[in-house]
Amino acid sequence: SLSERLNDIFKRLRGQGKLTEANIKDALREVRLALLEADVNFKVAKDFINEVQEKAIGEEVLKSLSPGQQVIKIVFDELVKILGQHTSLLEIKNKPEIIMLCGLQGSGKTTLAAKLAHFFRRRKPLIAACDVYRPAAIEQLKVLGKQIQIDVYSIDNCKDPILISKEALQAAEEEDYGVLIIDTAGRLHIDEEMMNELENLKAIIKPTEILFVIDSMIGQDAVNVASEFNNRLEFSGIVLTKLDGDARGGAALSVSRITGKPIKFVSIGEKPKDLEIFHPDRMAQRILG
Amino acid sequence: IVTKKKIDNDTLEDLEEVLIASDLGTEPTNEIISKLKERIKKEGFIEIDDLYETLSEVVCDYVGEERDFFNKDTFPAKPFVIMIIGINGVGKTTTIGKMAHRFRAAGSSVLIAAADTFRAAAIEQLEIWAERAGVDIVKHKSGSDPAAVVFDAMNAARSRNMDVVIIDTAGRLHTKTNLIEELKKINRICKRAIPEAPHETLLVIDAITGQNGLSQAKVFKETMDASGIIIAKLDGTAKGGIALSIKRQLDLPIVLIGTGEGLDDLREFVPKDYAMGFVP
Ligand SMILES: Nc1nc2c(ncn2[C@@H]2O[C@H](COP(=O)(O)OP(=O)(O)OP(=O)(O)O)[C@@H](O)[C@H]2O)c(=O)[nH]1
Ligand SMILES: Nc1nc2c(ncn2[C@@H]2O[C@H](COP(=O)(O)OP(=O)(O)OP(=O)(O)O)[C@@H](O)[C@H]2O)c(=O)[nH]1
Ligand SMILES: [Mg+2]
Ligand SMILES: [Mg+2]
């Protein structure tokens, strides 16, 4: 583990007399390597370590009996600060609250729609099936909706996601649904046409929340994807999925840093109940391994 | 006059960043950079183009050769049984649709086994792909035993004299022991019908996967004897660098790559093309 590695390094360094600033910098290289192994973007990791360095080359660390522990604490606190600095819960303040989901293919959006509907089940949620591309996407939502007894709005043979959303919103308003969750097709951040579709959907439906859904095992490309989605849509929150695996989830740090947007939920399984509020300290622990 | 760019002190550092940014990981990157340094010393070239050419060669050495996957003459048996596995959402079902289409275009008869009986509308999704590819599908009711679907499909393939069987399985995280046990059972039942099957067990990896891809491949290789890798979603900006680590550490060859959501968006793995993805 990282703390073991740092303790070993400092033991060795201590043997050579009193600790110097250069020693601390060497130890921080180890932290940077750990962050890279955890899939934190290399530029984000570099900047992060530079900031931590400012704090770590102080007297308390140099004179400490356990400098390894001190450094880890500084790194941990700094991680929690970045991951949690924009923490905000998704509150239902509008009537209806309109939540639009977006993200890459296979990130977990459709399953998340069901999870959010389950989370807000006392608010009478409605899910709008706006993925008109993926084979059986609408059927997938219908099945999920049935499983949790949540209504799904869909239009058979309609290839216009904007029309489906508009009608779903109308139904939500007329029939007093508290939350409208719009599931969209997965798409690449470099797919001009599909990104335009999302921008148009946002402009017309005016969602009160836009959640960017990202798989926790993604690597260095996280910053490219997140910044493009954010530049186009100014999303309001992030959801990290598949955290029930063993991915360290460094993408969480990268995406938080690059977009400045809060991680609102984490998905920890395939069932409707497998949704949790995001805890920055738990995530920091996981990233550090 | 076109002056060729020269290698300077920053060149290798910049290249190192490019390789890290492609998810190659720190160890393989360090190895590759030192190999490049050796080659520069030994061969004395000074231009950046030569460096990039050498990088491409070094990467190609790591990832091995291409295969003639869809050529009937290379099939190990009849039917040629291929099981597709991987974690959730990587692109298994879509890849199977594309593979069925390629096999059929190359003159083979294909049967698809819908052994994801768990996920909502998984069977419906695969049925649409089977229809698009013009191939038959063996399916049971949703929620039924996936091993039974496979057993059925093996027997159907033999009695109908099919060339290829492709088995779709439910996505599962490699950390879920009970789900890995389920997959092992599917494998056992498959062997009960055809002892040598599956002849290929291909692990689908998302091109954007970070270092966790290595953990996935380790488990699926140990538990399911995975025989190769399919990199899906290589049409994004990610380079699929983790596949190089997987080949380097586990000797799992990259067999196919997915480059989109359409029926034709599948290619056989070509080392040079993959290597060029890392060249700035
Ligand atoms: N283990 C696990 N699996 C998940 C989680 N979230 C989603 N999944 C699974 O991931 C796969 C993809 O989920 P979907 O909801 O279909 O993903 P999507 O983003 O809607 O996919 P597209 O619509 O094709 O872009 C499914 O097998 C889900 O059951 C999670 O938190 N943990
Ligand atoms: N851009 C792109 N998208 C792909 C590719 N392969 C699959 N997809 C998309 O990725 C999403 C998930 O694909 P699936 O085939 O459902 O993935 P899966 O592994 O079967 O998912 P589960 O069965 O839920 O585990 C779909 O939206 C596909 O269209 C690819 O090569 N490129
Ligand atoms: Mg979906
Ligand atoms: Mg599937």
Side-chain angles (χ1 to χ4, degrees):
Chain A
S1 74
L2 181 61
S3 49
E4 288 167 351
R5 275 148 67 182
L6 285 188
N7 286 333
D8 288 344
I9 289 182
F10 279 114
K11 231 189 239 125
R12 211 173 0 102
L13 292 175
R14 268 272 211 44
Q16 306 162 8
K18 103 180 169 54
L19 276 183
T20 64
E21 284 193 8
N23 294 154
I24 302 293
K25 291 185 183 177
D26 284 341
L28 284 180
R29 265 190 52 239
E30 204 61 32
V31 178
R32 195 171 70 85
L33 281 177
L35 293 179
L36 286 180
E37 282 167 30
D39 292 321
V40 175
N41 177 267
F42 77 99
K43 287 202 193 106
V44 171
K46 213 185 218 172
D47 293 341
F48 176 80
I49 291 298
N50 286 338
E51 289 169 12
V52 165
Q53 194 166 281
E54 310 259 310
K55 299 197 165 76
I57 54 181
E59 283 307 302
E60 315 108 53
V61 180
L62 294 177
K63 299 232 165 101
S64 162
L65 288 176
S66 57
Q69 303 285 60
Q70 288 275 2
V71 170
I72 292 258
K73 173 133 186 25
I74 292 171
V75 171
F76 179 83
D77 289 347
E78 200 60 23
L79 268 181
V80 173
K81 184 158 146 266
I82 296 170
L83 290 168
Q85 71 181 157
H86 306 284
T87 289
S88 64
L89 290 177
L90 201 162
E91 294 175 330
I92 307 297
K93 318 185 220 70
N94 302 284
K95 193 89 182 32
E97 193 70 33
I98 307 170
I99 305 170
M100 180 172 113
L101 305 180
C102 64
L104 295 172
Q105 292 91 341
S107 54
K109 301 173 293 299
T110 303
T111 335
L112 177 64
K115 288 169 182 158
L116 285 170
H118 178 74
F119 192 83
F120 293 120
R121 58 192 174 282
R122 295 199 194 88
R123 304 275 190 162
K124 195 176 172 197
L126 174 67
I127 303 176
C130 297
D131 180 352
V132 300
Y133 308 98
R134 170 174 155 152
I138 297 179
E139 181 61 20
Q140 183 184 7
L141 262 183
K142 285 182 179 172
V143 172
L144 290 174
K146 264 211 201 84
Q147 286 175 1
I148 54 175
Q149 288 147 347
I150 296 287
D151 294 336
V152 173
Y153 192 92
S154 62
I155 306 177
D156 286 339
N157 299 320
C158 174
K159 289 296 171 194
D160 184 352
I162 300 199
L163 179 61
I164 300 169
S165 304
K166 270 205 202 142
E167 292 205 0
L169 180 55
Q170 196 176 339
E173 287 162 343
E174 287 173 4
E175 295 164 45
D176 226 27
Y177 286 92
V179 184
L180 174 65
I181 301 160
I182 304 175
D183 183 25
T184 64
R187 68 205 62 214
L188 294 177
H189 52 302
I190 53 171
D191 186 332
E192 201 55 36
E193 214 174 300
M194 289 299 275
M195 292 306 284
N196 285 341
E197 175 186 279
L198 275 183
E199 284 180 294
N200 291 337
L201 189 55
K202 174 184 179 181
I204 292 177
I205 300 298
K206 301 193 178 45
T208 49
E209 281 281 347
I210 300 178
L211 296 181
F212 174 60
V213 184
I214 192 161
D215 192 320
S216 58
M217 55 78 178
I218 92 176
Q220 297 287 313
D221 208 35
V223 298
N224 298 328
V225 182
S227 51
E228 187 61 21
F229 270 87
N230 196 36
N231 290 342
R232 301 276 208 139
L233 299 173
E234 265 316 324
F235 50 73
S236 53
I238 298 161
V239 180
L240 265 180
T241 63
K242 306 177 202 170
L243 272 177
D244 45 323
D246 61 355
R248 299 263 292 277
L253 177 63
S254 311
V255 177
S256 296
R257 273 289 261 222
I258 294 292
T259 66
K261 298 293 163 66
I263 299 174
K264 299 211 168 184
F265 291 105
V266 293
S267 171
I268 52 161
E270 296 188 75
K271 304 213 178 66
K273 63 174 175 58
D274 294 329
L275 189 70
E276 286 183 353
I277 303 285
F278 175 67
H279 292 282
D281 52 341
R282 286 189 211 164
M283 193 72 221
Q285 193 57 54
R286 181 182 184 123
I287 291 174
L288 289 180
Chain B
I1 300 185
V2 172
T3 46
K4 298 198 164 191
K5 276 194 79 192
K6 300 275 182 288
I7 299 170
D8 63 20
N9 284 332
D10 290 336
T11 310
L12 283 179
E13 261 191 50
D14 294 344
L15 190 57
E16 189 174 345
E17 290 196 344
V18 167
L19 297 182
I20 293 287
S22 310
D23 291 310
L24 247 63
T26 45
E27 254 189 59
T29 298
N30 292 338
E31 239 178 64
I32 289 176
I33 295 292
S34 26
K35 287 199 179 171
L36 289 178
K37 282 187 180 148
E38 272 175 43
R39 300 272 300 259
I40 292 175
K41 233 176 159 189
K42 183 157 150 271
E43 292 164 36
F45 56 81
I46 52 169
E47 282 163 5
I48 278 194
D49 285 351
D50 296 320
L51 179 66
Y52 292 164
E53 178 67 24
T54 310
L55 169 66
S56 171
E57 288 173 26
V58 169
V59 170
C60 281
D61 283 339
Y62 274 103
V63 294
E65 339 77 38
E66 41 187 302
R67 264 178 66 177
D68 204 359
F69 194 73
F70 298 104
N71 181 354
K72 222 183 221 171
D73 303 333
T74 70
F75 292 179
K78 183 170 175 139
F80 176 17
V81 181
I82 304 164
M83 180 181 272
I84 301 296
I85 62 179
I87 68 166
N88 309 70
V90 291
K92 299 177 294 300
T93 304
T94 311
T95 300
I96 290 170
K98 299 172 189 174
M99 287 170 74
H101 173 68
R102 276 295 298 269
F103 276 121
R104 192 160 169 272
S108 295
S109 57
V110 185
L111 185 64
I112 292 180
D116 178 356
T117 56
F118 168 74
R119 210 207 65 214
I123 298 172
E124 286 83 345
Q125 181 189 10
L126 191 57
E127 279 185 287
I128 292 171
W129 279 111
E131 188 180 341
R132 287 179 181 178
V135 304
D136 287 337
I137 182 168
V138 168
K139 60 182 174 115
H140 292 183
K141 278 179 58 202
S142 176
S144 54
D145 180 9
V149 178
V150 172
F151 194 74
D152 234 6
M154 296 293 109
N155 292 327
R158 264 195 314 216
S159 64
R160 297 184 217 171
N161 213 18
M162 307 299 276
D163 294 313
V164 182
V165 183
I166 312 176
I167 303 167
D168 190 15
T169 61
R172 69 205 63 221
L173 295 182
H174 51 296
T175 47
K176 307 250 157 115
T177 349
N178 58 326
L179 297 183
I180 295 295
E181 283 308 309
E182 173 190 88
L183 205 53
K184 281 194 197 165
K185 176 178 171 222
I186 295 175
N187 213 3
R188 281 198 301 276
I189 301 299
C190 184
K191 291 194 181 318
R192 212 171 284 174
I194 298 179
E196 302 300 304
H199 304 96
E200 288 279 357
T201 298
L202 301 179
L203 171 64
V204 181
I205 301 267
D206 190 321
I208 205 174
T209 313
Q211 299 310 303
N212 191 251
L214 203 49
S215 164
Q216 294 170 30
K218 272 200 192 102
V219 172
F220 283 116
K221 174 161 187 205
E222 277 166 33
T223 59
M224 291 301 294
D225 200 15
S227 56
I229 301 290
I230 298 175
I231 309 174
K233 309 180 197 169
L234 214 48
D235 47 316
T237 48
K239 309 290 192 240
I242 194 62
L244 186 148
S245 281
I246 292 173
K247 175 67 168 70
R248 173 179 168 271
Q249 272 202 37
L250 303 169
D251 201 22
L252 278 174
I254 304 165
V255 180
L256 299 170
I257 67 172
T259 56
E261 301 187 75
L263 200 59
D264 287 312
D265 297 328
L266 185 75
R267 296 185 210 156
E268 273 144 312
F269 172 69
V270 175
K272 190 84 200 278
D273 295 343
Y274 177 76
M276 290 311 285
F278 303 117
V279 173

